[in-house]
Amino acid sequence: MKNWLNLYFKLFLLLAFSFFLVTACHSQITQKADIPKTQLAISNCRFVVHQLGKTCVPLQPQRIIVTDEIILDAVLGLGLKPVATAEPNIAGRRGRHLAGKVDSVASLGTRSQINIEQNPTS
């Protein structure tokens, strides 16, 4: 009788732990951005729909920050100059075609450890 009680107790603990593990790992977290939205005229922006909703992207941006070298090449190719960019993870591995074009652009750190809180204009 005592062995059966011990077995049922262990089985109950195993099931309770399994239930707790499944419910803890299955929670759906919704991210709400409490960022105040700027008032732009609809003609001055293009709306981009993504997983978190809709974002108004200005047609004439004043400041651009680039975090990837491929996008940096595209932005420079469009004739835009970013105010800040991330450095490659490996020192000295920036493409030769970008030499001289990004000398005055502020650094945000390496691509794996970007610091977007610093002020790129200072």
Side-chain angles (χ1 to χ4, degrees):
M1 178 77 173
K2 195 173 189 179
N3 288 338
W4 285 101
L5 186 61
N6 193 11
L7 180 66
Y8 284 132
F9 182 69
K10 288 181 181 178
L11 183 62
F12 173 75
L13 286 178
L14 179 65
L15 289 173
F17 179 72
S18 299
F19 176 75
F20 174 73
L21 186 64
V22 168
T23 56
C25 294
H26 185 62
S27 65
Q28 295 179 354
I29 299 173
T30 57
Q31 184 178 6
K32 294 181 180 179
D34 294 332
I35 301 170
K37 297 181 180 179
T38 58
Q39 298 294 328
L40 291 176
I42 293 178
S43 63
N44 291 339
C45 67
R46 176 180 38 202
F47 285 99
V48 177
V49 179
H50 48 80
Q51 292 178 344
L52 296 177
K54 235 179 5 176
T55 302
C56 173
V57 178
L59 295 176
Q60 298 295 325
Q62 296 175 358
R63 295 169 37 141
I64 300 172
I65 294 177
V66 180
T67 59
D68 186 46
E69 189 170 342
I70 295 172
I71 304 300
L72 176 63
D73 188 26
V75 166
L76 291 173
L78 290 172
L80 302 172
K81 186 164 185 176
V83 293
T85 184
E87 299 293 326
N89 288 331
I90 303 171
R93 295 293 298 167
R94 190 166 297 254
R96 284 184 236 141
H97 62 286
L98 298 176
K101 295 181 181 178
V102 291
D103 292 338
S104 62
V105 176
S107 174
L108 294 174
T110 61
R111 272 188 18 199
S112 61
Q113 296 178 347
I114 296 175
N115 181 8
I116 58 173
E117 293 180 355
Q118 70 184 18
N119 188 358
T121 60
S122 60

